């Protein structure tokens, strides 16, 4: 199967994409990860991307699409894949169409903005060992220090409520229109993203017709 996962920052789409990828035995193609891999490998598109990254600029659509195209041509994608983080805009989706890629499903993980702000602003991370906690849903034993290594937990700068709200505005403006784009094609599936990871993955697999 060829699947796209959509959802606001913090909706849990990466977690669900990984679960579905393992269930179906197909790779998750994450835009960020493949750009880093292309940079490391020094591919033609990777070198093009490097120029923009070194200038602190966004990598243009045509370069991102070129890197995606290189990745999807690899042998592990022959039986299908999940795209996570691409497309982010309607022009990127149109470019995907132009590559001749037909998708089996586009899963949109639906979570209210208020829930997203609560989830992300409550996250706490350990800068030393990378462990992640949440003040409500997965608190550290003493609420302050990492259970594993004892380091004081911190809140990531991009998890601050005002930053999360700004990121949500960008999502609603630039990425959410993809829902209408794929609805018109008949392959959009909405999945309620509130509940336990297991509940949400159950809904996601049912939406895909996979049990």
């Amino acid at each position: 199967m060829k699947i796209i996962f959509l959802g606001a920052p913090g909706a849990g789409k990466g977690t669900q994409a990984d679960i579905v990828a393992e269930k179906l035995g197909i790779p998750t193609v994450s835009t960020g990860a493949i750009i880093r891999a292309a940079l490391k490998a020094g591919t033609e598109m990777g070198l093009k991307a490097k120029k923009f990254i070194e200038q602190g600029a966004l990598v243009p659509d045509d370069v991102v699409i070129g890197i995606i195209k290189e990745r999807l041509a690899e042998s592990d994608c022959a039986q299908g894949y999940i795209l996570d983080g691409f497309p982010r805009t309607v022009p990127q989706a149109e470019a995907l169409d132009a590559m001749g890629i037909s998708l089996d499903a586009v899963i949109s993980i639906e979570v209210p903005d208020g829930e997203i702000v609560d989830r992300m602003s409550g996250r706490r991370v350990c800068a030393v060992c990378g462990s992640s906690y949440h003040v409500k849903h997965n608190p550290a034993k003493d609420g302050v220090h990492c259970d594993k290594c004892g380091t004081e937990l911190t809140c990531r700068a991009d998890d601050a409520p005002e930053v999360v709200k700004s990121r949500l505005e960008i999502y609603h403006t630039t990425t959410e229109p993809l829902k209408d784009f794929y609805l018109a094609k008949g392959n959009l599936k909405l999945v309620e993203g509130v509940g336990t990871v297991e509940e949400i993955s159950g809904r996601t697999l049912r939406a895909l017709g996979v049990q």
Side-chain angles (χ1 to χ4, degrees):
M1 294 183 82
K2 295 171 185 174
I3 306 163
I4 286 173
F5 271 78
L6 299 177
K13 61 185 179 296
T15 299
Q16 295 305 322
D18 288 345
I19 291 168
V20 172
E22 188 172 349
K23 177 86 173 175
L24 298 179
I26 56 177
T28 298
V29 177
S30 160
T31 312
I34 62 170
I35 287 176
R36 287 190 294 274
L39 288 170
K40 191 174 180 183
T43 68
E44 181 187 349
M45 286 295 172
L47 292 172
K48 284 185 180 179
K50 187 178 181 182
K51 290 179 186 175
F52 293 96
I53 291 166
E54 285 175 345
Q55 293 164 5
L58 287 174
V59 181
D61 277 2
D62 62 325
V63 178
V64 175
I65 290 157
I67 290 172
I68 295 277
K69 201 170 184 177
E70 286 177 346
R71 177 67 183 88
L72 298 186
E74 293 181 20
S75 59
D76 64 333
C77 290
Q79 302 304 313
Y81 44 80
I82 292 170
L83 285 173
D84 177 15
F86 184 90
R88 288 185 187 274
T89 62
V90 170
Q92 287 183 352
E94 290 168 344
L96 207 56
D97 277 358
M99 285 163 60
I101 290 172
S102 61
L103 298 160
D104 294 290
V106 177
I107 297 287
S108 179
I109 306 290
E110 300 287 302
V111 182
D113 283 5
E115 171 77 11
I116 295 272
V117 174
D118 176 63
R119 281 184 192 179
M120 296 181 75
S121 62
R123 284 199 298 204
R124 298 292 181 270
V125 292
C126 174
V128 174
C129 74
S131 297
S132 185
Y133 301 86
H134 192 280
V135 293
K136 284 186 187 175
H137 311 302
N138 179 34
K141 285 174 185 170
D142 69 357
V144 177
H145 300 93
C146 176
D147 294 346
K148 294 180 182 174
C149 70
T151 304
E152 188 170 345
L153 301 172
T154 58
C155 178
R156 283 179 10 189
D158 59 352
D159 283 344
E162 62 276 13
V163 178
V164 175
K165 287 173 185 172
S166 174
R167 291 173 69 194
L168 284 170
E169 281 177 25
I170 293 168
Y171 169 76
H172 292 312
T173 305
T174 62
T175 304
E176 200 162 38
L178 286 170
K179 286 159 63 175
D180 286 336
F181 180 86
Y182 287 116
L183 181 64
K185 291 180 173 293
N187 53 9
L188 178 71
K189 300 178 189 301
L190 304 181
V191 172
E192 185 193 349
V194 178
T196 65
V197 171
E198 292 75 17
E199 287 167 345
I200 300 162
S201 60
R203 292 177 205 137
T204 303
L205 292 168
R206 284 192 292 276
L208 290 168
V210 177
Q211 297 301 327

